[in-house]
């Protein structure tokens, strides 16, 4: 065995595996994005429930409103907030317990100058992460309690609401703004009411959307400020109308697509059972690729080209750039994400090219791009079929992780950004750059390469699992594996990389558009 192989197999690969596992488990204490996303949708539903029909006797409009909002939107929102709060409390208790256990461990002796890294320093770093996680969870819990109290008060459950705000005021570890806002809310819903001099400022500063409007309406009614009351009610109606349209878009398009996908899946499965190997789903199902390279080339591309480029070389290079940190401007954040991604993709594809160069010309079916083909049907059909599959897997996944496990940070940035330029950069990264690069690497190279050692179906599953792990988020492994399997099936059947690229682009585009709609209402 050459020195190059020894270094690749016994030095670089173990390092890559250890660091990847460490990064994955590092997301264990991070909140899952799905919980935040559901709250955003709940907040839009709360805004929409204030929508008043011009013709209250119009049964069609009333039926549409009920279909979009449900029978009791306030009760549904309260349950949603209580579930999230319970999840936050569970994770907070867990983090506090881990911090207490870490502090209780005996302090190791001070190492000698030439000794290995100090374990005490590693422990202090871990404790610092736990403290930061605890602070974020406490902040989120306080924000949830402010809103839960308003939901309770709006349903004429004044005593539980005042108790919720009263408990919040007793927490000395949280920011004073939460305690002060809780005091304001408790005062305006008390009997008799207690109006604090800075009530309006605190409500405007620390609440938003339906919660702010509802609190201001209660305050203005007590202050008998008719002009201000009319203004806020008019603004609330305008926001409610927009929220109804957004909810209709969010609910109608994905539901119709998922229903189409479910019907398509049933047709394809039925066709497979009836026609057997003559069915469309069986096309090229067992046909492997002719692969002239082996495990060394596969590891070289992924360990050197993908892992070390993405986790070490590019991050170090970006850190050396003369850019003020932390980056606050959302446009610069979006540009930084795009530039970093393009650098990783360029480096990985360069390593891929250099690794395969000696095998040129490649055997038939490798990296095929055919415009004169049914790749659009395969891509769009695959997207429809993927939607119900990934939704079901995601629902199961949520129950397993209980709001933890981390998420792609790009999703949070896209949700909170309402800057057109930033959103355009995010869209280019997620809907154009990512599908091209990731499909070239995982479906174009990895999946066919694995068919040298295993049949097509195991190669699809294994490449999909590695595709999910590469996103370095524990909570996303199951949903992304499911998506990767659909991408793999579409590619192996179509033998055209344009098909999975289109599916991948549609998936990321749909996600970003949904985030934009949700974020614009919060």
């Amino acid at each position: 065995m050459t020195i190059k192989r020894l270094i690749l197999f016994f030095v670089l690969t173990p390092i890559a595996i250890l660091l990847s596992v460490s990064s994955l488990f590092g997301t264990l204490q991070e909140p899952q994005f799905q919980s935040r996303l559901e709250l955003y949708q709940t907040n839009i539903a709360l805004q929409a429930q204030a929508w008043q029909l011009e013709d209250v006797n119009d049964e069609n409009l009333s039926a549409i409103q009920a279909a979009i909002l449900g029978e009791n939107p306030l009760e549904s929102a309260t349950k949603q907030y209580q579930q999230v709060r319970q999840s936050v409390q569970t994770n907070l208790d867990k983090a506090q317990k881990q911090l207490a256990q870490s502090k209780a461990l005996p302090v190791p002796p001070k190492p000698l100058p030439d000794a290995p890294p100090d374990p005490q320093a590693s422990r202090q770093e871990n404790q610092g992460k736990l403290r930061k996680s605890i602070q974020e969870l406490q902040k989120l819990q306080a924000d949830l309690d402010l809103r839960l109290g308003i939901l309770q008060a709006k349903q004429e459950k004044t005593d539980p609401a005042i108790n919720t705000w009263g408990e919040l005021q007793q927490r000395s570890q949280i920011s004073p703004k939460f305690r002060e806002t809780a005091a304001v809310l408790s005062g305006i819903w008390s009997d008799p009411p207690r109006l604090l001099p800075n009530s309006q400022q605190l409500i405007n500063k620390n609440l938003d959307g339906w919660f702010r409007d509802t609190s201001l309406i209660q305050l203005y009614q007590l202050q008998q400020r008719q002009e201000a009351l009319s203004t806020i009610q008019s603004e609330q109606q305008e926001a409610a109308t927009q929220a109804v349209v957004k909810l209709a878009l969010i609910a109608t398009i994905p539901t119709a697509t998922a229903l189409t996908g479910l019907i398509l899946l049933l047709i394809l499965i039925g066709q497979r059972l009836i026609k057997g190997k003559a069915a469309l789903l069986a096309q090229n199902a067992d046909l492997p690729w002719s692969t002239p390279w082996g495990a060394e080339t596969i590891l070289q591309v992924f360990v050197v080209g993908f892992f070390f480029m993405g986790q070490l070389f590019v991050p170090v290079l970006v850190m050396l750039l003369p850019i003020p940190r932390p980056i606050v401007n959302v446009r610069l954040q979006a540009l930084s994400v795009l530039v970093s991604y393009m650098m990783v993709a360029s480096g990985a594809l360069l390593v891929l090219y250099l690794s395969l160069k000696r095998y040129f010309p490649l055997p038939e079916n490798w990296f095929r791009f055919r415009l004169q083909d049914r790749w659009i049907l395969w891509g769009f059909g695959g997207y429809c079929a993927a939607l119900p599959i990934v939704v079901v897997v995601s629902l199961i996944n949520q129950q397993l992780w209980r709001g933890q496990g981390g998420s792609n940070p790009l999703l949070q940035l896209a949700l909170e950004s309402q800057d057109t330029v930033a959103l355009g950069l995010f869209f280019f990264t997620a809907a154009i750059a990512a599908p091209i690069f990731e499909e070239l690497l995982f479906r174009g190279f990895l999946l066919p390469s694995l068919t040298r050692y295993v049949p097509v179906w195991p190669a699809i599953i294994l490449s999909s699992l590695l595709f999910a792990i590469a996103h370095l988020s524990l909570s996303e492994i199951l949903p992304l594996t499911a998506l990767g399997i659909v991408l793999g099936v579409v590619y192996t059947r179509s033998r055209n990389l344009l098909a999975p690229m289109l599916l991948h682009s549609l998936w990321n585009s749909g996600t970003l558009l949904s985030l934009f709609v949700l974020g614009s209402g919060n």
Side-chain angles (χ1 to χ4, degrees), residues 84-93 137 140-141 144:
V84 174
R85 195 206 181 281
Q86 184 178 359
S87 175
V88 169
Q89 183 63 56
T90 300
N91 294 323
L92 181 58
D93 292 340
L137 288 169
L140 177 56
Q141 187 184 58
L144 291 171

Side-chain angles (χ1 to χ4, degrees), residues 8-326:
L8 178 63
F9 280 94
F10 299 107
V11 178
L12 297 182
T13 300
I15 290 174
I17 292 172
L18 285 172
L19 290 178
S20 296
V21 170
S22 175
S23 297
L24 271 174
F25 281 93
T27 65
L28 194 58
Q29 295 301 322
E30 295 177 5
Q32 198 177 17
F33 181 71
Q34 186 65 29
S35 299
R36 183 67 62 88
L37 195 61
E38 289 174 354
L39 284 185
Y40 268 69
Q41 189 161 347
T42 299
N43 292 344
I44 292 182
L46 285 171
Q47 282 187 321
Q49 63 88 34
W51 183 42
Q52 294 179 357
L53 300 175
E54 293 182 5
D55 184 0
V56 294
N57 296 318
D58 191 323
E59 294 182 0
N60 292 329
L61 285 176
S62 298
I64 293 172
Q65 185 180 31
I68 293 174
L69 303 178
E71 292 297 327
N72 196 331
L74 286 177
E75 186 177 332
S76 300
T78 303
K79 288 180 180 178
Q80 179 68 43
Y81 267 85
Q82 286 172 337
Q83 288 173 359
V84 174
R85 195 206 181 281
Q86 184 178 359
S87 175
V88 169
Q89 183 63 56
T90 300
N91 294 323
L92 181 58
D93 292 340
K94 190 188 300 182
Q96 288 173 333
K97 183 179 179 181
Q98 289 176 343
L99 182 60
Q101 290 173 342
S102 179
K103 289 180 177 179
L105 292 173
V107 179
K110 187 175 181 180
L112 297 172
D114 297 330
D118 185 2
Q120 175 67 9
S122 177
R123 187 190 303 176
Q124 289 175 348
E125 182 181 355
N126 184 52
Q127 289 177 359
K129 290 181 179 178
L130 285 170
R131 288 192 186 94
K132 183 180 179 181
S133 178
I134 289 170
Q135 289 174 354
E136 290 175 351
L137 288 169
Q138 287 173 338
K139 179 181 176 182
L140 177 56
Q141 187 184 58
D143 189 46
L144 291 171
D145 283 341
L146 285 178
R147 295 164 184 259
L148 264 173
I150 297 171
L151 285 167
Q152 291 167 335
K154 192 63 178 174
Q155 296 173 82
E156 299 183 357
K157 299 176 182 178
T158 309
D159 289 341
I162 290 175
N163 288 336
T164 300
W165 293 321
E167 291 173 4
L168 179 55
Q169 292 176 69
Q170 302 303 316
R171 297 179 210 158
S172 58
Q173 72 274 18
I174 63 171
S175 171
K177 70 176 185 179
F178 292 110
R179 297 197 297 271
E180 292 170 359
T181 307
V184 167
L185 296 174
S186 180
I188 63 177
W189 263 286
S190 293
D191 187 17
R194 302 186 311 274
L195 301 183
L196 299 180
N198 57 344
S199 297
Q200 181 175 328
Q201 290 87 342
L202 285 169
I203 289 171
N204 277 319
K205 185 177 180 181
N206 300 318
L207 293 171
D208 54 26
W210 177 86
F211 297 96
R212 183 200 62 193
D213 294 344
T214 302
S215 302
L216 287 176
I217 287 172
Q218 179 72 9
L219 176 65
Y220 294 157
Q221 286 174 341
L222 293 172
Q223 293 174 332
Q224 297 183 349
R225 296 170 57 188
Q226 291 303 319
E227 185 177 347
L229 183 61
S230 298
T231 301
I232 194 68
Q233 287 175 335
S234 175
E235 291 174 354
Q236 188 181 49
Q237 276 303 299
E238 184 179 349
T241 304
Q242 294 174 359
V244 169
V245 174
K246 290 170 186 175
L247 282 178
L249 287 173
I250 293 170
T252 304
I253 297 176
T255 301
T257 306
L259 184 60
T260 303
L262 189 59
I263 294 170
L264 181 61
L265 282 172
L266 292 174
I267 292 172
L268 289 173
I269 293 170
Q271 187 190 55
R272 183 72 169 89
L273 293 173
I274 296 170
K275 293 187 176 182
K277 292 188 176 181
L280 184 64
L281 204 58
Q283 177 182 312
N284 299 321
D286 301 318
L287 182 64
W289 278 257
S290 175
T291 307
W293 51 82
E296 180 184 351
T297 301
I298 298 172
L299 282 176
Q300 183 172 288
V301 170
F302 273 86
V303 172
V304 179
F306 185 76
F307 178 81
F308 278 98
M309 278 289 176
Q311 298 298 311
L312 293 176
F313 179 73
V314 170
V316 169
L317 188 61
V318 171
M319 287 298 295
L320 294 175
L321 295 176
I323 302 173
R325 291 179 178 83

